[in-house]
Amino acid sequence: MNPVRKAVFPVAGLGTRFLPATKAMPKEMLPVVDRPLIQHVVDEARQAGIEHFIFVTGRNKGVIEDHFDRQFELEMTLLERQKHKILEYLNQDLPVPGSTSFTRQQEPLGLGHAVWCARELLGREPFALLLPDVLVQHQRGCLAQMIDAARDLPANANIVAVEEVPHERVDQYGVVGIGERRGKMFSITNMVEKPTKERAPSNLILTGRYILQPDLLEILGRQERGTGGEIQLTDAMIQLARTQPFYGFQFDGRSFDCGSKIGFLAANVSYALARSDIAPEFRAEIKKILGEVDD
Ligand code: G1P
């Protein structure tokens, strides 16, 4: 497969499930421990070797752009106060100049439409798509695992990360039907967006990490509205799968659906417990809250 250099991050969503927290702040800036959701996902893309980060934003999302820029006043203050460690930490996160692009989805017409809005920036090469609602916790990030696994696949292959969920929850996701399996990778025979339990081809869902060929963008350009009146990415992928190979990849690690309150809160607990600087104290606090130890 050809190298994957560019990644798209759709960040135009309204975040209604987190109101009032998201009234004036983008949901992608909600912190999981001390890093915004979007920073965790950009970290994952960086680890996978992505060089160009394309954000599809919307109105009221300006602070995402600011987050990936320098903050001179803050830097000067930290310097004056001799806070060198935190300054170094901030600088590590700073993208290489010119490696970020921001474009806007003017109307909320769905995920497929958001990806299509990035078409001029993507050009004619395979690209990664990462949905910031989903965090995958693992030492080797989900996208890096996918790129590792894609090495031996044909140049025109498309790969989607998948995972099992209980059958009762398939109606919240894109669901795939599977064919021949080779280790963690298998060919995809079918995809359906948010099917009923009865119509779902399996209980393997699309997790929100994709490696896609640029031909998808042309399909998206003529795609009609599907489920929920939105231009669905899954519908365009189904069309592309008629002419190009599609693979599902079962990644290592635990995923958190941070688009839901429970998933977001669970991610915070899990990421905090994985941090050696705060885990011991935090664990004790949780035990206290759960009434497992006395004050
Ligand atoms: C989107 C995709 C869906 C995928 C999900 C993962 O749905 O359309 O196929 O399974 O993300 O989180 P959304 O969560 O935007 O409704």
Side-chain angles (χ1 to χ4, degrees), residues 45-92:
R46 270 172 91 163
Q47 191 199 39
I50 295 298
E51 295 166 12
H52 192 162
F53 305 83
I54 300 168
F55 300 85
V56 181
T57 73
R59 285 177 289 281
N60 303 325
K61 299 281 182 166
V63 310
I64 296 179
E65 197 165 343
D66 294 339
H67 177 77
F68 290 102
D69 194 3
R70 297 201 90 110
Q71 271 276 20
F72 279 112
E73 261 180 51
L74 175 67
E75 287 176 29
M76 290 315 291
T77 312
L78 291 173
L79 205 61
E80 274 165 25
R81 293 185 188 169
Q82 312 266 316
K83 305 257 185 204
H84 298 294
K85 213 161 168 202
I86 179 77
L87 200 55
E88 201 183 303
Y89 188 46
L90 284 181
N91 283 336
Q92 275 169 15

Side-chain angles (χ1 to χ4, degrees), residues 120-140:
E120 293 294 334
L121 295 162
L122 287 168
R124 293 284 319 159
E125 53 184 293
F127 62 93
L129 168 64
L130 298 97
L131 308 190
D133 270 358
V134 182
L135 291 189
V136 179
Q137 190 180 22
H138 196 264
Q139 227 176 3
R140 185 109 182 113

